[in-house]
């Protein structure tokens, strides 16, 4: 494969991208990157509030991915050349996750049969290797670092169902595809269901206000093991790279920052940024859902006192998701060799990704 830069230069032929999940962590980063690269962006979300309508190059689109009729009506007059799918809907069971999330991919691509798509990029994650939430890291798993050539696990998984829908549609409609398996994504998105960076910022802010230690909520394995993460901006670069280089067509790629770290080293540095006392793993897991139980009213009072822009703690923090990530009792580490050999050179330092997010949260008046 020929070597390319992480982000492609502006194209001479105008291109239009549809970003599904444009209000999420990955989707918002894609909208930012694509507009900088002079693409026209159809920013699809349920509310259609993905972007300021006056923002050059961005067209908000309101549609429900679970409704074929809604999508058909919203997209009838559109002609995107590329689709970036970053959306998902959390359900109570994996069977429901499969039914709903595979249908979302199927519905969107069916609504674009008229568009002559060139490429569809699908964001998934490391549950591809670790199993679904119902058996997260508990069943059979490949050795780390996870590699894209590992076979699927012998369990039902909505990521597999989404991939199957993507490949079936590509066969029918004649577009190329890519799958992007991210680790935990660090980025800015208010109201997102899986948001470790903002969750830890909310935890640290409450700890500082209440004079509490900043307690690591996870397992001994996560505290001590080498791990990695994915910055939302890097993920956007990776998806655009694969979507615009013909030599990366019809491939699945892992995508992480490129550095590795241990939480036992990073946790004190995050605590220092907020001016709180760090407390590491001490014999047992201490979930945030227990540590932060009943903090909604405390956050409202804090937000009023500091004149913050968001008084609803649930729109900033997702305790359950961070507990799931940091509570794992297995090492989680990803191999980026396939992307490197194909020419992707993007890199982020994870500590900087966290601190850049904290600075943005402060600049957006979401934390004091």
């Amino acid at each position: 494969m020929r070597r390319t830069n992480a982000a492609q230069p502006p194209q001479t032929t105008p291109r239009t991208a549809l970003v599904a999940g444009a209000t999420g962590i990955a989707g918002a980063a894609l909208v930012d990157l694509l507009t900088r690269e002079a693409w026209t962006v159809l920013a699809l979300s349920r509310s259609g509030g993905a972007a300021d309508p006056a923002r050059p190059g961005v067209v908000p689109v309101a549609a429900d991915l679970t409704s074929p009729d809604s999508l058909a009506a919203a997209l009838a007059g559109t002609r995107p050349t590329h689709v970036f799918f970053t959306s998902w809907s959390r359900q109570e069971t994996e069977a429901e996750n499969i039914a709903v999330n595979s249908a979302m991919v199927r519905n969107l691509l069916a609504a674009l049969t008229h568009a002559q798509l060139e490429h569809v990029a699908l964001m998934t994650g490391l549950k591809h290797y670790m199993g679904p939430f119902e058996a997260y890291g508990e069943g059979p798993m490949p050795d780390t670092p996870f590699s894209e050539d590992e076979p699927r696990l012998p369990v039902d998984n909505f990521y597999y169902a989404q991939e199957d829908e993507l490949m079936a549609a590509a066969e029918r409609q004649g577009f190329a595809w890519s799958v992007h398996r991210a680790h935990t994504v660090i980025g800015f998105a208010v109201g997102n269901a899986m948001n470790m960076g903002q969750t830890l910022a909310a935890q640290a802010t409450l700890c500082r206000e209440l004079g509490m230690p900043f307690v690591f909520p996870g397992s001994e394995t996560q505290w001590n093991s080498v791990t990695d993460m994915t910055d939302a901006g890097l993920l956007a670069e990776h998806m655009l790279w694969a979507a615009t280089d013909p030599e990366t067509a019809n491939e699945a790629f892992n995508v992480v920052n490129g550095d590795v770290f241990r939480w036992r080293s990073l946790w004190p540095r995050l605590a220092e940024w907020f001016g709180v006392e760090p407390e590491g793993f001490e014999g047992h897991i201490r979930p945030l859902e227990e540590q932060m139980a009943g903090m909604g009213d405390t956050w409202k009072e804090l937000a009023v006192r500091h004149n913050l822009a968001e008084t609803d703690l649930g729109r900033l923090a997702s305790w359950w998701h961070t507990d799931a990530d940091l509570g794992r009792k297995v090492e989680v580490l990803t191999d980026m060799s396939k992307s490197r050999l194909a020419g992707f050179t993007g890199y982020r330092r994870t500590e900087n990704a966290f601190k850049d997010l904290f600075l943005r949260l402060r600049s957006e008046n979401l934390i004091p």
Side-chain angles (χ1 to χ4, degrees):
M1 294 184 180
R2 65 182 173 85
R3 193 169 186 81
T4 62
N5 291 325
Q8 299 297 308
Q11 302 293 324
T12 56
T13 302
R15 290 186 173 180
T16 299
L18 186 150
V19 178
T23 58
I25 298 176
L30 272 163
V31 172
D32 288 344
L33 176 62
L34 290 163
T35 53
R36 290 199 304 270
E37 297 290 333
W39 288 57
T40 296
V41 179
L42 306 176
L44 189 150
S45 66
R46 186 184 293 267
S47 67
D52 180 349
R55 184 176 179 182
V58 180
V59 181
V61 177
D64 181 353
L65 289 167
T66 67
S67 168
D69 291 342
S70 170
L71 288 164
L75 299 174
T78 67
R79 295 290 189 276
T81 55
H82 293 68
V83 171
F84 298 89
F85 195 99
T86 67
S87 185
W88 83 295
S89 177
R90 184 188 182 196
Q91 305 298 312
E92 290 297 320
T93 67
E94 191 60 17
E96 292 172 295
N97 274 328
I98 290 169
V100 172
N101 288 282
S102 63
M104 288 163 57
V105 174
R106 182 172 63 250
N107 294 343
L108 178 61
L109 297 179
L112 292 169
T113 53
H114 63 280
Q116 296 183 324
L117 297 173
E118 296 178 19
H119 191 104
V120 178
L122 171 67
M123 173 191 169
T124 64
L126 298 194
K127 288 187 289 297
H128 184 95
Y129 307 108
M130 301 180 65
F133 281 122
E134 290 179 0
Y136 197 32
E138 297 176 1
M141 277 178 48
D143 285 338
T144 55
F146 299 137
S147 173
E148 295 93 337
D149 59 7
E150 294 289 347
R152 290 180 175 183
L153 300 177
V155 294
D156 292 334
N157 190 318
F158 83 84
Y159 284 161
Y160 304 162
Q162 286 184 313
E163 287 186 355
D164 290 344
E165 293 290 349
L166 173 67
M167 295 173 194
E171 183 69 22
R172 291 190 303 268
Q173 295 170 230
F175 57 77
W177 56 266
S178 57
V179 174
H180 304 260
R181 298 171 186 162
H183 198 167
T184 303
V185 180
I186 311 166
F188 179 86
V190 177
N192 190 266
M194 300 196 302
N195 200 331
M196 181 187 285
Q198 288 180 189
T199 296
L200 296 183
Q203 177 196 4
T205 298
L206 285 163
C207 289
R208 185 178 61 208
E209 291 289 317
L210 298 174
M212 297 164 49
F214 184 50
V215 175
F216 180 74
S219 69
E220 183 175 15
T221 302
Q222 288 303 302
W223 181 248
N224 290 318
S225 295
V226 173
T227 190
D228 50 27
M229 296 187 74
T230 306
D231 177 78
L234 182 84
L235 173 58
E237 292 173 10
H238 192 261
M239 295 181 79
L240 180 56
W241 160 74
T244 53
D245 185 340
E247 296 191 36
T248 61
N250 306 330
E251 297 282 354
F253 294 98
N254 295 331
V255 50
V256 289
N257 287 340
D259 70 341
V260 296
F261 67 95
R262 299 180 199 272
W263 280 107
R264 70 188 188 201
S265 298
L266 181 59
W267 195 257
R269 298 199 292 273
L270 300 184
E272 182 181 15
W273 196 94
F274 284 96
V276 291
E277 186 66 29
E279 190 170 302
F281 179 83
E282 294 188 356
H284 60 93
I285 294 173
R286 291 176 282 182
L288 288 173
E289 285 199 305
E290 295 178 7
Q291 290 189 50
M292 299 287 114
M295 288 290 188
D297 288 341
T298 303
W299 183 268
K300 286 181 183 178
E301 295 170 4
L302 181 160
V304 170
R305 188 163 64 252
H306 292 281
N307 195 30
L308 300 182
E310 183 57 68
T311 60
D312 183 354
L313 180 59
R315 285 179 52 76
L316 293 177
S318 45
W319 310 127
W320 70 272
H321 177 255
T322 297
D323 284 341
D325 268 8
L326 297 183
R328 296 174 297 201
K329 297 181 181 180
V330 293
E331 181 182 77
V332 183
L333 188 64
T334 308
D335 184 3
M336 275 287 284
S337 298
K338 184 176 180 179
S339 290
R340 300 298 186 220
L341 291 171
F344 182 77
T345 59
Y347 177 89
R348 296 290 192 280
R349 184 178 184 228
T350 298
E351 181 177 346
N352 292 352
F354 271 113
K355 292 179 178 178
D356 288 346
L357 172 62
F358 299 157
L359 286 170
R360 181 168 180 188
L361 291 171
R362 185 167 286 170
S363 71
E364 298 277 354
N365 199 31
L366 288 164
I367 62 173

